[in-house]
Amino acid sequence: MSKYSIRQFVQETQQEESARDFFELETDRMLEVNLNGRVWAKAGSMISYDGNIKFEREGMLEHGLGKFVKKAFSGEGAQLMKANGQGRLYVADMGKKITVLDLEGESFFINGNDLLAFQDGLEWDIKLMRRVAGMMAGGLFNVRLEGQGLVAFTSHYEPLTLHVTPDKPVFTDPNATVAWSGNLEPEFVTDVQLKSFFGRGSGESVQMKFSGNGFVVVQPYEEVYQAQQS
């Protein structure tokens, strides 16, 4: 249906009052957080809220000097905000599709640009990909999360999960790689043949190689990251 009356439009697009879980997908591209305490979210991701909620940008030294130094290198994409209070908070990121995972003691890596929100209490750390930073504009970083709680990440269009086994390593384009299981440590390789197709400066020639047992999540889109701030 392409035409709506006002009444029909409101009915089709109104929020779901029955939603009560901590993280609820209000739509495929908008996350509702039923807040009673604190949640971490990507800075700038707030769309709307009701209730008594206060927002605060993450303090530089809040998590110790180590994370501060890493954030200085990883740029604005790593910025998080805290939302404290009671109410409903709606977050989104450039209309990207949202996936919610319930971690049950597992660890999980997410590309720092694709992390949308996570439940307070999860352990997290920023991992810099220094070896690839000189090969691609802006380099890459990721966030490792572990523990019990919910985490939401984004992808352009539908994500695809690829299984990694000892006899079948998986190679991915870093710009299309969204997340991977916490037991995997990717290495970066350069494909000389691809260089001949895309040119010496192309990120296409740099690949992430995943070996072992686990999985990696990719998106049908190559996201170009802004150069880091010096």
Side-chain angles (χ1 to χ4, degrees):
M1 184 176 183
S2 59
K3 295 181 179 179
Y4 294 90
S5 68
I6 291 292
R7 179 182 58 83
Q8 289 171 328
F9 176 75
V10 172
Q11 286 180 339
E12 287 287 327
T13 61
Q14 68 186 347
Q15 66 189 27
E16 293 289 339
E17 293 292 343
S18 61
R20 287 294 179 268
D21 287 344
F22 182 68
F23 278 4
E24 287 281 352
L25 283 177
E26 189 68 20
T27 71
D28 286 345
R29 302 174 192 279
M30 188 175 296
L31 178 69
E32 175 185 329
V33 182
N34 291 290
L35 191 59
N36 184 15
R38 181 168 73 172
V39 69
W40 293 92
K42 186 174 184 178
S45 63
M46 188 276 287
I47 300 297
S48 179
Y49 72 93
D50 60 42
N52 183 20
I53 301 176
K54 293 184 178 180
F55 299 91
E56 183 181 352
R57 186 174 286 271
E58 177 193 4
M60 283 187 175
L61 294 175
E62 184 167 344
H63 304 284
L65 183 60
K67 284 186 181 177
F68 168 68
V69 172
K70 291 176 183 178
K71 288 175 67 62
F73 279 102
S74 57
E76 284 297 312
Q79 289 294 327
L80 297 171
M81 66 178 182
K82 292 178 293 184
N84 286 285
Q86 292 183 323
R88 284 181 296 195
L89 168 66
Y90 296 92
V91 294
D93 186 15
M94 299 177 65
K96 296 196 291 184
K97 181 178 174 60
I98 300 170
T99 300
V100 177
L101 295 181
D102 188 359
L103 297 187
E104 299 177 336
E106 305 101 331
S107 60
F108 190 64
F109 284 97
I110 301 176
N111 183 305
N113 198 53
D114 299 318
L115 178 61
L116 180 62
F118 60 92
Q119 199 164 2
D120 190 35
L122 282 171
E123 296 182 13
W124 63 277
D125 194 16
I126 296 171
K127 302 290 184 181
L128 295 179
M129 299 182 181
R130 294 185 181 89
R131 292 182 58 188
V132 77
M135 305 177 192
M136 304 176 61
L140 289 175
F141 68 95
N142 57 72
V143 180
R144 184 181 189 274
L145 297 118
E146 184 174 13
Q148 302 275 348
L150 297 170
V151 56
F153 66 91
T154 60
S155 61
H156 287 277
Y157 312 107
E158 302 292 332
L160 174 67
T161 299
L162 305 170
H163 289 283
V164 180
T165 59
D167 61 337
K168 187 182 178 183
V170 171
F171 296 82
T172 65
D173 182 333
N175 287 331
T177 305
V178 175
W180 58 93
S181 50
N183 59 309
L184 296 182
E185 289 283 348
E187 60 178 302
F188 294 92
V189 296
T190 303
D191 191 310
V192 177
Q193 290 180 324
L194 280 177
K195 274 192 173 182
S196 65
F197 284 105
F198 296 101
R200 292 178 58 85
S202 173
E204 293 281 357
S205 63
V206 181
Q207 301 170 359
M208 297 176 75
K209 179 182 179 182
F210 294 88
S211 303
N213 281 298
F215 62 88
V216 57
V217 181
V218 295
Q219 61 185 2
Y221 183 95
E222 295 176 77
E223 194 158 7
V224 179
Y225 307 100
Q226 294 181 351
Q228 296 178 14
Q229 302 292 326
S230 56

